[in-house]
Amino acid sequence: MASGFFAILDDIATLLDDVAAMSKIATKKTAGILGDDLAVNAEKASGFVSKRELPVLWAITKGSLLNKLIILPIAFLLSAFLPWAVTLALILGGLYLAFEGAEKIYEFFVPHTEEHAITDAMVKSEAEILEMEKAKIKSAIVTDFILSVEIVIIALGTVIEEPLINQIAVVSVVALIATIGVYGIVALIVRMDDFGFRLINFNEEDNSISDKIGRLFVNALPKVIKSLSVIGTIALLLVSGGIFVHNIPFLHHIIPGVPNIIIEFLVGLIIGFLVFLVYKGVKKLLPKN
């Protein structure tokens, strides 16, 4: 009886060791897209009033966890019974990411100054501000859903030959790490200025070491956010371009001798603007309310 119990414990320990080793490999495979995920979500989680930053980020984090709970069982079922549907889902997600990246570039070069001015003038009440927050949270969660699909599928691909229980354990671990790790770092980024002010007020001395470090954090935050906005846009195009290049055979070697990262960016950019043009055309054809 006792020997059987210890044999079970030994099997569990072996399984946990295998899962830990495979999770490490899968996390390395998804490291690139986790970086993209960080850049995209840090950009989307910024721009709020200081006291609302963490509540908004927590709302996005809960949405991200819900995304994983939806994606994981579907991914396992599709991988087992309809593998072609996984590729289709990736490509559709890639179209959305490419569109978002192209739209950001378009808005940078063709800013809608009048529209922004009207929006800013209209926002007066707390209810209106909260409504804008909800819209931005929703956009962040939708983007997170698509990036989460890519993370889950890449992680699943590293253990596709393993038993189902190993697949479930490894991919679930990677998905959890993705959510906690990414949004934990995003939280640190958006609270840089608050931490800086705390350091500045740490003592009554002028120009102390804590003052210098605090001012560094405060002055760096706008530059970090601005940089993340640019990096986030590039990340959208790289992730979408990577989806197209890796899942559409004729794009694999479309420009021989050119580094993959450049090909992926160009493919994401071109397809993104094609989708954007289709969107603008359809929007013009639809009747306005």
Side-chain angles (χ1 to χ4, degrees), residues 1-14:
M1 185 91 176
S3 60
F5 175 74
F6 286 113
I8 292 172
L9 288 180
D10 186 58
D11 290 341
I12 293 172
T14 302

Side-chain angles (χ1 to χ4, degrees), residues 32-37 40 86-105 143 146-151 154 231-249 251-252 260-276:
I33 195 168
L34 287 174
D36 295 336
D37 196 9
V40 172
V86 175
T87 302
L88 178 62
L90 281 174
I91 293 174
L92 290 175
L95 290 173
Y96 177 80
L97 294 177
F99 164 77
E100 269 216 337
E103 186 180 39
K104 285 178 178 292
I105 293 173
T143 302
I146 296 165
L147 289 170
S148 295
V149 169
E150 180 73 358
I151 290 169
I154 291 174
I231 294 170
T233 301
I234 295 171
L236 286 169
L237 297 173
L238 282 174
V239 172
S240 60
I243 291 172
F244 301 135
V245 169
H246 294 137
N247 292 283
I248 302 176
L251 291 176
H252 287 185
N260 284 339
I261 190 170
I262 295 175
I263 294 174
E264 289 173 2
F265 177 79
L266 291 175
V267 169
L269 182 66
I270 293 167
I271 294 179
F273 271 103
L274 289 174
V275 177
F276 179 73

Side-chain angles (χ1 to χ4, degrees), residues 11-12 14-23 26 76 155-156 158-174:
D11 290 341
I12 293 172
T14 302
L15 176 62
L16 290 175
D17 286 341
D18 291 342
V19 168
M22 288 184 286
S23 297
F76 296 133
L156 186 59
T158 63
V159 291
I160 200 68
E161 302 297 331
E162 299 294 328
L164 181 60
I165 189 172
N166 286 18
Q167 291 183 29
I168 293 172
V170 170
V171 179
S172 298
V173 167
V174 173

Side-chain angles (χ1 to χ4, degrees), residues 11 35 41 44 55 66 74 86 103 114 116 127 131 146 156 160 163 192 215 240 281 284:
D11 290 341
N41 285 295
K44 283 186 173 291
L66 180 60
I74 294 174
V86 175
E103 186 180 39
E114 294 182 4
H116 288 309
E131 193 63 32
I146 296 165
L156 186 59
I160 200 68
M192 277 177 62
R215 284 194 291 269
S240 60
K284 284 184 178 180

